[in-house]
Amino acid sequence: LEAGDAQARLNGPVNAWIVKPAGKSRGRDIICARGLRQILDYTGFGVVGKERLWVVQKYLEAPYLIGGRKFDFRQWVLVTDWNPLTVWFYAECYLRFSMAPFDLARLDDNFVHLCNNSIQKEQDGFDEVKDDSMWTLAQFREHLAATAEGGEAVWTDKILPQMHSIAKWALMCAQDSLENRKNSFEVYGYDFMLDDAFNVWLLEVNASPDLSASTPVTERLTSRVMGDIVRVVVDQ
C-alpha cells in the first residue's frame, strides 16, 4: 500500500483529522475530528455569517512517541532572498511535548494532541512539569542512540535530510506568490512530526514564530538564534 500511496502512513482506524483556522496562532480554535460531518458542523460550512478560511489535514494516527507522549519539532528557517532562493536551516531545533499520554480515543482533549506550548501551559500542574515539556536536539539524539535501531544515525541519515528537503520544497511552492524585496529577510518556524517509521511530516510553517524564553530550552536557544540571524544578515 505504501509503495502506491505516499501518504498511506497517515491513515489509521479512527479516520482522524485536524481542523485549524487559517490566520490564527498559538493553537486557538484547533480541534481533532473524526469525519466530514463533524468538520462541516464545526467550520460552519454553508452558514451565512460564519465564513472563514480553514485548514483541514489528515491527522497522523501512528506518531513516533517518547514515553507514550506525542511531540513535534520546531525548526527555524531563515530566508535572505527569494530570487535566487537563499535558505538558511538552523543547526538546532527543539522538541515540544504533549504532557498527556497519546490516546486516539480522546480526540477532544487538546492536551493529548496539541504540542503547542500555549496550549500545554494551561494544563493543571504544568509548572511542575514545565522542564520536561521540551527537549533539546542533543537530548533527542541521546534518546535515539539508546533506543532506536540504527542509533543516532537515524537523525543524521534519515530524519535531518527529510527536514532539509521539505523545508526547501515548501519555500519553492510559495516562491512565486511572495513579494521579493531585496535587502530583507524572513524567519519561519517549521513544525515537523515523525511517524513510527521515522518518516518526517510537515505540520505547518509559521511566519513570525515565537522566540520567547518560555522554558529553559527556549531560553537558551532563542537568544542564540537571534544573534545568529543578525550575524548571517549583516555579515553575509
Side-chain angles (χ1 to χ4, degrees):
L1 181 61
E2 290 183 40
D5 183 358
Q7 298 193 28
R9 296 198 66 86
L10 288 174
N11 298 323
V14 177
N15 190 32
W17 297 77
I18 189 163
V19 183
K20 58 185 79 173
K24 282 196 175 183
S25 60
R26 301 191 297 276
R28 291 173 294 174
D29 295 338
I30 296 177
I31 68 161
C32 294
R34 285 185 171 84
L36 181 60
R37 175 46 55 194
Q38 185 182 1
I39 294 170
L40 294 178
D41 289 345
Y42 182 71
T43 58
F45 179 78
V47 178
V48 176
K50 291 195 69 174
E51 297 89 352
R52 185 192 293 179
L53 294 176
W54 295 84
V55 177
V56 180
Q57 297 169 286
K58 184 66 185 70
Y59 188 72
L60 179 57
E61 296 188 30
Y64 180 75
L65 305 176
I66 295 178
R69 294 181 296 152
K70 176 183 170 181
F71 67 92
D72 64 20
F73 297 93
R74 167 55 60 89
Q75 172 67 55
W76 292 299
V77 173
L78 172 67
V79 177
T80 54
D81 202 335
W82 286 99
N83 187 22
L85 183 60
T86 307
V87 183
W88 304 79
F89 191 95
Y90 200 65
E92 284 195 69
C93 59
Y94 64 95
L95 283 65
R96 309 181 300 181
F97 283 88
S98 161
M99 300 311 294
F102 183 74
D103 186 352
L104 285 172
R106 298 167 58 193
L107 280 183
D108 59 345
D109 189 341
N110 282 351
F111 294 137
V112 173
H113 299 287
L114 301 185
C115 302
N116 192 304
N117 182 255
S118 297
I119 297 293
Q120 293 297 321
K121 70 181 182 181
E122 300 301 325
Q123 191 169 184
D124 291 342
F126 177 76
D127 287 342
E128 286 73 30
V129 297
K130 180 172 71 172
D131 290 355
D132 297 322
S133 68
M134 293 184 184
W135 270 14
T136 63
L137 176 58
Q139 287 175 288
F140 179 64
R141 294 180 68 159
E142 289 172 4
H143 169 79
L144 291 177
T147 64
E149 183 178 351
E152 193 177 350
V154 173
W155 169 256
T156 54
D157 296 347
K158 183 167 186 178
I159 299 172
L160 185 59
Q162 291 181 77
M163 287 184 171
H164 283 164
S165 294
I166 293 169
K168 178 181 67 176
W169 294 335
L171 294 169
M172 290 172 67
C173 287
Q175 188 175 11
D176 292 338
S177 303
L178 297 171
E179 180 183 357
N180 180 30
R181 293 174 295 177
K182 292 295 183 180
N183 302 313
S184 65
F185 65 92
E186 185 76 41
V187 180
Y188 296 99
Y190 280 67
D191 293 338
F192 294 108
M193 273 190 67
L194 295 178
D195 66 25
D196 55 5
F198 296 115
N199 297 304
V200 176
W201 298 91
L202 175 63
L203 300 181
E204 61 185 20
V205 181
N206 298 274
S208 304
D210 182 23
L211 287 169
S212 63
S214 54
T215 71
V217 170
T218 51
E219 183 177 11
R220 180 179 67 85
L221 282 177
T222 52
S223 60
R224 287 173 51 187
V225 75
M226 287 189 282
D228 289 337
I229 288 169
V230 172
R231 278 186 282 275
V232 168
V233 171
V234 174
D235 295 345
Q236 297 296 324

